[in-house]
Amino acid sequence: MACAGAGLKGLLCMDTKKSKRSKKKEKKNRGRGMWKAFLVTLVVTLLAGAGVLILILQTGEGGDIPEQRQEVSEIVKVEKEDIPAESLERKAKSAEAETADSSEGAEKSEDLEEADDGFDQSGCIRDAGGRILEKKQMTEGDEATLLFAGDILFDDGYAVMGAARQRGGIRACFSEETLGEMEGADIFMLNNEFTYTDRGEPTPEKMFTFRAKPENVAMLHELGVDIVSLANNHAYDYGEISLLDSLEALEGIDMPYVGAGRNLAEASEAVYFHAGNQKIAFLSGTQIERLTPPDTKGATENAPGVFRCLTEKEIFTKIAEAEQNSDFVVVYVHWGTEKTDELDWAQPGMAKELAQAGADLIIGDHPHVLQEIANVDGVPTIYSVGNYWFNSSTINTCLVKVKVKDGEMQSFQFIPALQSNCYTQILSGAEKEAVLNYMRTISTTVTIDGDGYVTF
């Protein structure tokens, strides 16, 4: 990953992360080396034993073995002299290839055994309730493409869903190019800023409360979504029952989620994707609301809620655990002040702590508008990706595309888009350049080229 503008501290931070990953890989390789040595020794021992057994059977007495060995050696010598040199060379190369294939096959077998351990037929590891905790995601090669967007809303009482119904479906609310990016990504993540329920009562005195019909959850698959964040200030809009119904709806379509749960252990749990020959962790937390107590309840040891991280410190422990258990850690965090591109008092300090805890990428949301892209202690960060498909307002938004290989970020691309009249589309030409220029103005620690690629 390019590090222009990162500074010495950022470079050291990145070197430390690479060092940790190198140690993990060295440990794994050592294990494979020991396994290969064991296999070779076992094969040689078995072959030698088989040879002795054959000779014993042929002679009938163990005392004749040395003489019989000599006779066999002479036969082999005669046969070898009758074989053309060219043929011998081919046989030697073939033997070498078989040995190499055998070693490679043993290694692949080991990898397959390791990868399949605990996975069901759909390629998932689940908890006792069926929630997906790990998932195999097929990729074309060793590189995984991650895609991120902001807030969506499937509440039939608002304009976006009215537009979707009128236009014939949710896909009619996105341009073809936009849908192509969403479906083409290996892992596409966004913020599920509402509940899936037809029960409960709205939170008293809360200005906006959102709930979608439980069957609307299927629209996530229509949009190519692979994982959602529930760590937001609308996950509890119709009370505890609405959150529980949301969890059940998502689990019912095998949609992984992070940032909320039936208790704190579930809400704080990471979800892992095996993609591109690497393991990628996703976590999500929320600082919103900042009321005491908040309307959106934080999960406790025995009660449902969201994973809070305003003053709570558990998220740093969870990031550190995820770093040890994966090759790349994504933290999707709900923070900031609505409708302003200025960072609030809590965001920079929190970002630094997330980076120091072990995050490799920080994606922010909640302000409903775009906020700056920054290098935070060597960790690529976008403080807010804005709305994505949330209302009828005309507002700049984006997709963030990140490519990861061998646990290292290969590229970070900011893709300008526009939400307008309940329709989201990727921008081009002068409109695209205008958004890129705006992001350059507010993002002072990075450089952004004409295609949106960011150098940190």
Side-chain angles (χ1 to χ4, degrees):
M1 178 178 71
C3 302
L8 179 59
K9 191 170 185 180
L11 290 171
L12 289 174
C13 178
M14 292 168 66
D15 287 342
T16 300
K17 292 176 185 295
K18 290 179 182 178
S19 175
K20 289 180 181 178
R21 293 192 191 98
S22 297
K23 289 178 181 177
K24 290 182 189 178
K25 292 177 182 177
E26 287 174 6
K27 183 177 180 181
K28 187 174 182 180
N29 289 335
R30 283 199 302 271
R32 287 178 173 172
M34 293 173 64
W35 178 245
K36 289 180 186 177
F38 171 74
L39 286 176
V40 171
T41 302
L42 180 61
V43 170
V44 170
T45 302
L46 290 173
L47 289 174
V52 171
L53 180 59
I54 290 170
L55 293 176
I56 291 174
L57 292 173
Q58 288 177 339
T59 60
E61 293 185 24
D64 293 331
I65 290 174
E67 183 179 351
Q68 187 71 21
R69 279 180 181 166
Q70 184 179 1
E71 292 174 1
V72 170
S73 176
E74 290 174 355
I75 293 171
V76 170
K77 183 178 179 181
V78 171
E79 290 180 347
K80 186 174 179 180
E81 288 173 350
D82 293 335
I83 299 173
E86 185 179 350
S87 179
L88 285 173
E89 186 178 353
R90 283 198 302 269
K91 287 179 179 288
K93 289 182 179 178
S94 177
E96 289 176 4
E98 277 188 32
T99 304
D101 288 344
S102 176
S103 299
E104 184 180 352
E107 185 174 343
K108 286 183 178 178
S109 176
E110 178 193 357
D111 288 344
L112 184 61
E113 182 180 342
E114 180 182 341
D116 286 344
D117 185 26
F119 286 90
D120 61 21
Q121 291 183 343
S122 63
C124 298
I125 294 177
R126 306 166 187 270
D127 66 10
R131 175 192 176 186
I132 294 174
L133 302 178
E134 296 191 32
K135 184 177 181 180
K136 293 179 184 177
Q137 202 81 334
M138 296 298 294
T139 61
E140 291 185 0
D142 291 339
E143 187 174 76
T145 299
L146 316 183
L147 192 69
F148 302 92
D151 305 337
I152 59 166
L153 180 63
F154 292 167
D155 189 327
D156 280 280
Y158 286 84
V160 281
M161 281 304 298
R165 303 295 187 198
Q166 186 178 19
R167 295 167 186 168
I170 188 76
R171 290 175 61 85
C173 296
F174 296 84
S175 69
E176 286 300 319
E177 184 182 7
T178 308
L179 288 170
E181 288 287 356
M182 293 153 66
E183 294 172 333
D186 296 313
I187 305 170
F188 177 34
M189 181 180 191
L190 45 67
N191 179 43
N192 197 110
E193 184 93 334
F194 56 93
T195 62
Y196 294 99
T197 189
D198 51 15
R199 302 191 289 175
E201 297 295 328
T203 302
E205 300 181 9
K206 190 169 185 178
M207 184 175 295
F208 296 104
T209 53
F210 305 131
R211 67 174 171 182
K213 296 174 182 177
E215 58 266 29
N216 287 4
V217 71
M219 294 179 182
L220 292 172
H221 283 314
E222 290 186 59
L223 298 178
V225 177
D226 297 291
I227 181 171
V228 298
S229 170
L230 296 178
N232 58 62
N233 55 303
H234 290 285
Y236 212 93
D237 274 1
Y238 283 75
E240 179 180 299
I241 193 66
S242 68
L243 173 60
L244 294 175
D245 284 352
S246 296
L247 303 182
E248 185 174 338
L250 291 164
E251 290 163 0
I253 65 162
D254 273 354
M255 179 59 62
Y257 61 84
V258 285
R262 296 172 179 86
N263 50 53
L264 182 57
E266 283 191 11
S268 62
E269 194 147 28
V271 168
Y272 297 91
F273 281 84
H274 298 252
N277 199 32
Q278 58 202 325
K279 189 175 179 182
I280 302 172
F282 292 81
L283 291 121
S284 187
T286 177
Q287 294 185 342
I288 313 298
E289 301 101 0
R290 293 172 179 170
L291 309 172
T292 304
D295 290 331
T296 305
K297 306 302 182 186
T300 66
E301 185 176 348
N302 300 308
V306 296
F307 187 28
R308 290 189 58 80
C309 59
L310 178 60
T311 57
E312 300 83 356
K313 302 298 182 183
E314 289 91 347
I315 193 169
F316 306 120
T317 302
K318 291 297 181 179
I319 291 171
E321 289 177 2
E323 184 189 29
Q324 292 300 312
N325 294 324
S326 67
D327 302 299
F328 193 85
V329 180
V330 177
V331 180
Y332 194 107
V333 59
H334 206 69
W335 58 6
T337 302
E338 292 184 346
K339 299 180 181 179
T340 177
D341 62 11
E342 294 184 8
L343 304 185
D344 72 13
W345 58 273
Q347 287 173 284
M350 176 69 169
K352 187 171 183 177
E353 289 184 280
L354 295 174
Q356 292 175 344
D360 293 299
L361 176 66
I362 300 170
I363 305 291
D365 76 316
H366 173 66
H368 298 293
V369 296
L370 296 173
Q371 290 186 339
E372 70 177 84
I373 303 170
N375 182 320
V376 179
D377 273 15
V379 176
T381 301
I382 180 166
Y383 281 98
S384 176
V385 288
N387 285 343
Y388 189 57
W389 189 72
F390 190 70
N391 54 34
S392 60
S393 299
T394 297
I395 191 168
N396 292 329
T397 182
C398 72
L399 287 168
V400 170
K401 183 192 288 189
V402 174
K403 294 189 176 182
V404 181
K405 183 177 181 181
D406 296 328
E408 296 290 341
M409 191 181 82
Q410 304 301 303
S411 64
F412 180 114
Q413 185 182 16
F414 174 89
I415 304 175
L418 181 72
Q419 175 203 268
S420 181
N421 191 28
C422 306
Y423 186 83
T424 300
Q425 61 182 322
I426 291 174
L427 295 174
S428 61
E431 291 178 314
K432 171 183 176 180
E433 187 60 27
V435 177
L436 290 176
N437 281 333
Y438 170 73
M439 292 303 293
R440 292 177 186 122
T441 300
I442 64 174
S443 306
T444 58
T445 64
V446 301
T447 58
I448 308 173
D449 73 11
D451 292 317
Y453 286 99
V454 182
T455 302
F456 292 87

